[in-house]
Amino acid sequence: MLCRAKRGLSAGPSARIQSIRTIQKIAKSMKMVAAAKYTRAERELKPARVYGTGALALNEKAHIKGPEDKKKHLLIGVSLDRGLCVAALTPAGKEVVLVGIGDKIRGILHSTHADRFLMSFKDVGRKPPTFGDASVIALELLNSGYEFDEGAIIFNRFRPVISYKTEEKPIFSLNTIASSESLSVYDDIDADVLQNYQEYNLANIIYYTLKESTTSEQSARVTVMDNASKNASGMIDKLTLTLTVITKELIEMISGATALD
Amino acid sequence: MLPVALLRRPGLRRLVLQARCYAEAAAPAPAAGPGQMSFTFASPTQVFFNGANVRQVDVPTLTGSFGILASHVPTLQVLRPGLVVVHAEDGTSTKYFVSSGSVTVNADSSVQLLAEEAVTLDMLDLGVARANLEKAQAQLAGAADEPARAEAQILVEANEALVKALE
């Protein structure tokens, strides 16, 4: 009887409690790192939101719409390299070209839609995104020469308190904007000026969606690590209880065996 | 016309000190009341005005400097390096130096002034600006091919505008 009890102890709750404590420590420290990154991301998001809203104002106030027979689509998905929350892309039919910002998008869609990728950007998210990063992305997109009828950028907009919502903002090609009726309201616009304006605005929109997505990502990480750490606590409590019960039974057995002797 | 993305200048970066963030909640771009301007002026990292009501804003654009009052005709413009002057309702005015960017005047009298980099003049040093200008001019003189010439040209223009703003 004694031997059986001894075997149970070494492989049992005690060792498991140890390993779960280690996991809990890791989860707690990862949570702290994510919390620090989240605080910074949220702080930088505040001005970026005003800036991004300003950049999107023209599309909204001038009610610019894409052409009716939309043939060529451009979908830009904004995420990070190691994304816990990934903006869901559903490229449906037609001629759709994808641009992934953040390795995660490419990873997820690679198996099914590899041939549709125009370009993919990695090294996104380790450091907070800057306007320079957005400019680089915008320049690559513009230099690719891909002419599309209708485009959209899909990202995760951050919402308080610590949640996010996948959203889509339209991206219009230069042609669409130039030929839009509502644009005639705007006085005396040189074609060159309009092109410059649009190129700058593309960088602005990418910058804004990057900032939103980063904040969403870091907040998701904080939540996940927090849950992991709490789950670990729960498991430790349960196992400690089991260990206590076994220890009591052992003591009874031993005292019982001693009494028999 | 050069893509605006090229207008990132290393010279200007060195002059700009740490910018502090201005916290503001986001809402859709505000429309203005009758006879009023809703003025939003921001860079990617800093908000200066958000839907504020100001009297007049002078902006430097590629086609020249012009002043925007409420009920200005709608227009889209691209900025060149230079001074932005904001005249408040109470008569006071503040000057900012901007590197590049865009300005949009909408039919509802809302104005969005988005600058790639914008600072108040007290953040800039005239001595450093002059030194950078000389360096830029030297770079232009020694530029080998078209892209190098273009970059150097931009540096020269930006630094000239800087020096002029500070003098």
Side-chain angles (χ1 to χ4, degrees):
Chain A
M1 252 200 303
L2 267 175
C3 297
R4 226 172 58 205
K6 210 173 170 191
R7 253 206 310 272
L9 193 56
S10 59
S14 180
R16 288 184 66 194
I17 290 180
Q18 257 319 101
S19 68
I20 294 175
R21 273 204 216 280
T22 315
I23 293 174
Q24 189 189 37
K25 277 194 200 138
I26 295 174
K28 275 191 178 158
S29 68
M30 282 183 77
K31 179 188 164 190
M32 272 172 53
V33 169
K37 287 192 177 178
Y38 162 70
T39 309
R40 179 170 178 180
E42 210 226 345
R43 198 178 63 226
E44 292 183 358
L45 180 60
K46 288 196 172 94
R49 256 196 190 159
V50 177
Y51 187 76
T53 308
L56 292 163
L58 176 67
N59 289 351
E60 282 150 24
K61 286 180 193 264
H63 304 297
I64 299 190
K65 287 192 272 264
E68 278 310 309
D69 57 342
K70 310 152 196 172
K71 277 170 281 168
K72 292 189 182 177
H73 282 252
L74 175 71
L75 280 178
I76 306 176
V78 181
S79 181
L80 303 185
D81 272 359
R82 279 183 249 154
L84 277 178
C85 56
V86 180
L89 285 179
T90 43
K94 302 192 186 103
E95 187 186 329
V96 177
V97 153
L98 302 172
V99 169
I101 299 181
D103 238 6
K104 192 78 177 179
I105 305 259
R106 192 180 60 88
I108 287 182
L109 292 173
H110 190 69
S111 45
T112 41
H113 296 98
D115 52 337
R116 304 224 212 202
F117 267 92
L118 177 63
M119 54 181 71
S120 180
F121 296 88
K122 55 186 274 211
D123 278 338
V124 179
R126 260 183 305 142
K127 290 197 218 149
T130 63
F131 186 74
D133 299 333
S135 301
V136 164
I137 296 174
L139 203 55
E140 283 297 315
L141 263 169
L142 292 162
N143 286 342
S144 77
Y146 179 71
E147 295 192 15
F148 58 97
D149 297 316
E150 166 135 330
I153 183 162
I154 296 152
F155 63 103
N156 286 310
R157 188 167 72 83
F158 177 68
R159 285 195 323 193
V161 170
I162 310 227
S163 74
Y164 60 88
K165 186 174 165 223
T166 305
E167 271 192 21
E168 189 179 309
K169 291 280 181 198
I171 295 201
F172 298 106
S173 70
L174 195 57
N175 282 338
T176 308
I177 304 240
S179 53
S180 166
E181 269 182 42
S182 35
L183 209 71
S184 56
V185 170
Y186 292 87
D187 184 52
D188 188 29
I189 302 180
D190 191 0
D192 275 345
V193 167
L194 188 59
Q195 182 174 353
N196 272 324
Y197 182 95
Q198 277 309 108
E199 291 175 357
Y200 180 63
N201 227 30
L202 181 62
N204 291 346
I205 294 175
I206 291 176
Y207 172 74
Y208 166 65
T209 52
L210 268 172
K211 283 310 219 189
E212 291 273 4
S213 293
T214 317
T215 313
S216 301
E217 169 68 28
Q218 297 303 341
S219 80
R221 277 195 206 193
V222 168
T223 310
V224 164
M225 286 306 140
D226 194 36
N227 286 345
S229 157
K230 286 197 181 111
N231 287 348
S233 278
M235 285 176 76
I236 290 175
D237 288 343
K238 267 177 71 180
L239 285 169
T240 311
L241 196 61
T242 316
L243 186 59
T244 318
V245 169
I246 292 179
T247 314
K248 270 204 194 135
E249 283 178 12
L250 263 180
I251 293 175
E252 283 164 17
M253 274 192 267
I254 294 171
S255 43
T258 329
L260 284 175
D261 286 339
Chain B
M1 248 326 151
L2 301 155
V4 180
L6 254 185
L7 285 171
R8 297 202 61 71
R9 271 162 301 290
L12 187 59
R13 281 284 191 74
R14 268 180 258 127
L15 290 172
V16 172
L17 307 173
Q18 266 271 311
R20 267 176 283 132
C21 279
Y22 183 95
E24 269 285 320
Q36 285 192 331
M37 184 197 315
S38 165
F39 179 54
T40 300
F41 174 22
S43 76
T45 50
Q46 198 176 353
V47 175
F48 300 97
F49 294 86
N50 187 7
N53 182 23
V54 300
R55 199 169 50 81
Q56 176 177 338
V57 184
D58 303 324
V59 294
T61 71
L62 286 177
T63 48
S65 259
F66 68 106
I68 304 174
L69 294 126
S71 317
H72 189 279
V73 62
T75 183
L76 305 175
Q77 293 293 341
V78 169
L79 304 177
R80 62 149 195 255
L83 269 181
V84 164
V85 187
V86 180
H87 303 274
E89 281 286 346
D90 60 7
T92 58
S93 60
T94 335
K95 293 188 191 166
Y96 303 85
F97 188 83
V98 297
S99 66
S100 46
S102 67
V103 62
T104 313
V105 181
N106 301 106
D108 62 1
S109 266
S110 63
V111 178
Q112 289 89 32
L113 177 59
L114 304 176
E116 200 172 331
E117 287 179 40
V119 286
T120 44
L121 295 187
D122 54 8
M123 298 279 233
L124 301 170
D125 181 303
L126 180 55
V128 180
R130 283 215 181 97
N132 282 344
L133 176 58
E134 281 171 24
K135 260 189 268 176
Q137 280 161 340
Q139 196 177 326
L140 179 59
D145 53 18
E146 266 307 301
R149 274 187 64 84
E151 273 195 45
Q153 185 67 40
I154 295 174
L155 265 170
V156 166
E157 279 171 20
N159 282 304
E160 274 174 354
L162 261 170
V163 168
K164 190 162 154 223
L166 293 169
E167 272 167 354

